[in-house]
Amino acid sequence: MSSAKQNHAILSERLKSCDVRPTPQREVVLKVILGKRDHPTADEIFARVKSSMPTISLATVYNCLDTLVQCGLIRQVNLERAPTRYCPNLDQHAHFHDEATGEIHDVHLPEDLMIRLKEVLPAGFDARSIDLTFRGKAAPTLTHGTN
Amino acid sequence: MSSAKQNHAILSERLKSCDVRPTPQREVVLKVILGKRDHPTADEIFARVKSSMPTISLATVYNCLDTLVQCGLIRQVNLERAPTRYCPNLDQHAHFHDEATGEIHDVHLPEDLMIRLKEVLPAGFDARSIDLTFRGKAAPTLTHGTN
DNA sequence: TTCTTATTTGGAATAATTCTAATTCCTACT
DNA sequence: AGTAGGAATTAGAATTATTCCAAATAAGAA
């Protein structure tokens, strides 16, 4: 079995396990996002996807993204007043938004902190997800985390 | 001195302390946001402001909001793919976004947790602000926090 | 295969925000 | 008080991200 075929099988399996139809469009959108550890916008994803599937439409990219987020196969990140970005990293992590460069860095969150975070919620609040975003500036010289 | 005048003086003082001109528009926008502990959108703020200053323009509301956020007199909250909301509560707190009702509740964050949060950042990362948003559902019967 | 239903498509529509250029308003300095 | 000069405001146009729509297509079950 070729590597490409195997890849397809893996992606297809992932989609099926979420009870969604493993269409070629969904697979290629997912593949593109997982293929790079950055935080692309819908437009950027559209551009990347078009090189392997030139006929795909932007509406489909949006549809696929919605589906993938629903499934929990990717995450959604919102910066203030900027187009939504998507994140392939499903490990528990926070985002650091470098205000000087606009870059987003993933920051690992230890398990005990996650537990501590959930403890601050009053009784009756049931959190399905937690978004933690830092804003500020990062030291320019060192290379930290992913962008 | 009348209460209204005193109010004006206080608002004006707050603005001056941020090195911005205390214009009537900025004062009324700030007053409207501080007057209610909710999370209005720019459009909602525009509507509220118009009742006391009918000639104000939406562009000015946006300008004022930008200025006030810059000054740190109000905060900005972004829900996924929804218009930006503004928050009068400057105490350290998180937001709980009730996915069923769309309501936003403030959640108090203890000081030690804030310290713990900043500790997860690698050396060289300097966080100016921290945004923590929970998403999920809240028990409907009880009345928790502010919306 | 054929049926049923979900998905895709392109283009139009919507909605939040920003831009622009003209006007008006503060504030500091005489 | 009067005025110069920069900052803020205004209305409306422009931009841009996202969603809607109705028709065409494709996937999975029988």
Side-chain angles (χ1 to χ4, degrees), chain B residues 38-91:
Chain B
D38 60 353
H39 298 80
T41 63
D43 256 339
E44 285 162 358
I45 293 163
F46 183 44
R48 292 180 199 175
V49 162
K50 270 201 283 197
S51 62
S52 58
M53 185 185 274
T55 58
I56 199 171
S57 76
L58 180 57
T60 299
V61 170
Y62 273 103
N63 289 339
C64 292
L65 290 172
D66 283 345
T67 305
L68 297 175
V69 169
Q70 287 298 320
C71 294
L73 291 174
I74 59 173
R75 281 178 55 185
Q76 217 173 29
V77 191
N78 283 74
L79 287 316
E80 285 162 12
R81 294 187 180 182
T84 302
R85 290 171 176 276
Y86 296 86
C87 178
N89 182 358
L90 294 180
D91 297 343

Side-chain angles (χ1 to χ4, degrees), chain A residues 14-48:
Chain A
R14 285 223 207 182
L15 290 166
K16 276 191 224 160
S17 69
C18 305
D19 279 317
V20 300
R21 286 194 190 169
T23 67
Q25 286 86 349
R26 285 174 178 164
E27 282 177 26
V28 70
V29 167
L30 180 54
K31 185 164 117 183
V32 152
I33 297 173
L34 297 179
K36 211 172 163 190
R37 289 228 134 200
D38 60 353
H39 298 79
T41 64
D43 257 339
E44 284 162 358
I45 292 162
F46 183 44
R48 292 180 199 175

Side-chain angles (χ1 to χ4, degrees), chain A residues 77-83 97 99 133 135, chain B residues 69-70 75-78 84-85 128-129 131:
Chain A
V77 190
N78 283 75
L79 286 317
E80 284 161 13
R81 292 187 181 183
H97 181 209
E99 292 177 316
T133 304
R135 282 165 234 284
Chain B
V69 169
Q70 287 298 320
R75 281 178 55 185
Q76 217 173 29
V77 191
N78 283 74
T84 302
R85 290 171 176 276
R128 196 182 48 72
S129 74
D131 266 34

Side-chain angles (χ1 to χ4, degrees), chain A residues 66-78:
Chain A
D66 283 345
T67 305
L68 297 175
V69 169
Q70 287 298 320
C71 293
L73 290 174
I74 59 174
R75 281 177 57 184
Q76 217 173 29
V77 190
N78 283 75

Side-chain angles (χ1 to χ4, degrees), chain A residues 2-133:
Chain A
S2 81
S3 152
K5 264 241 172 88
Q6 193 177 30
N7 202 342
H8 160 72
I10 291 166
L11 292 169
S12 172
E13 223 24 74
R14 285 223 207 182
L15 290 166
K16 276 191 224 160
S17 69
C18 305
D19 279 317
V20 300
R21 286 194 190 169
T23 67
Q25 286 86 349
R26 285 174 178 164
E27 282 177 26
V28 70
V29 167
L30 180 54
K31 185 164 117 183
V32 152
I33 297 173
L34 297 179
K36 211 172 163 190
R37 289 228 134 200
D38 60 353
H39 298 79
T41 64
D43 257 339
E44 284 162 358
I45 292 162
F46 183 44
R48 292 180 199 175
V49 162
K50 270 202 284 197
S51 62
S52 57
M53 186 185 274
T55 59
I56 198 170
S57 75
L58 179 57
T60 299
V61 170
Y62 273 104
N63 289 339
C64 293
L65 290 171
D66 283 345
T67 305
L68 297 175
V69 169
Q70 287 298 320
C71 293
L73 290 174
I74 59 174
R75 281 177 57 184
Q76 217 173 29
V77 190
N78 283 75
L79 286 317
E80 284 161 13
R81 292 187 181 183
T84 302
R85 290 172 176 274
Y86 296 86
C87 177
N89 182 358
L90 294 180
D91 297 341
Q92 281 174 346
H93 67 280
H95 290 112
F96 186 94
H97 181 209
D98 190 327
E99 292 177 316
T101 67
E103 281 176 323
I104 306 172
H105 303 268
D106 286 356
V107 176
H108 175 256
L109 292 179
E111 185 58 32
D112 67 291
L113 179 56
M114 295 305 296
I115 293 166
R116 183 82 182 77
L117 280 176
K118 286 187 179 156
E119 283 171 359
V120 305
L121 289 177
F125 284 87
D126 183 26
R128 197 183 47 72
S129 73
I130 301 180
D131 266 34
L132 177 58
T133 304

Side-chain angles (χ1 to χ4, degrees), chain B residues 7-66:
Chain B
N7 202 341
H8 160 73
I10 291 166
L11 292 169
S12 171
E13 224 22 76
R14 285 224 207 183
L15 290 166
K16 275 189 223 159
S17 69
C18 304
D19 279 317
V20 300
R21 286 194 191 170
T23 68
Q25 287 85 350
R26 285 172 179 167
E27 282 177 26
V28 69
V29 167
L30 180 55
K31 186 164 114 183
V32 151
I33 297 174
L34 296 180
K36 211 174 164 190
R37 287 229 134 199
D38 60 353
H39 298 80
T41 63
D43 256 339
E44 285 162 358
I45 293 163
F46 183 44
R48 292 180 199 175
V49 162
K50 270 201 283 197
S51 62
S52 58
M53 185 185 274
T55 58
I56 199 171
S57 76
L58 180 57
T60 299
V61 170
Y62 273 103
N63 289 339
C64 292
L65 290 172
D66 283 345

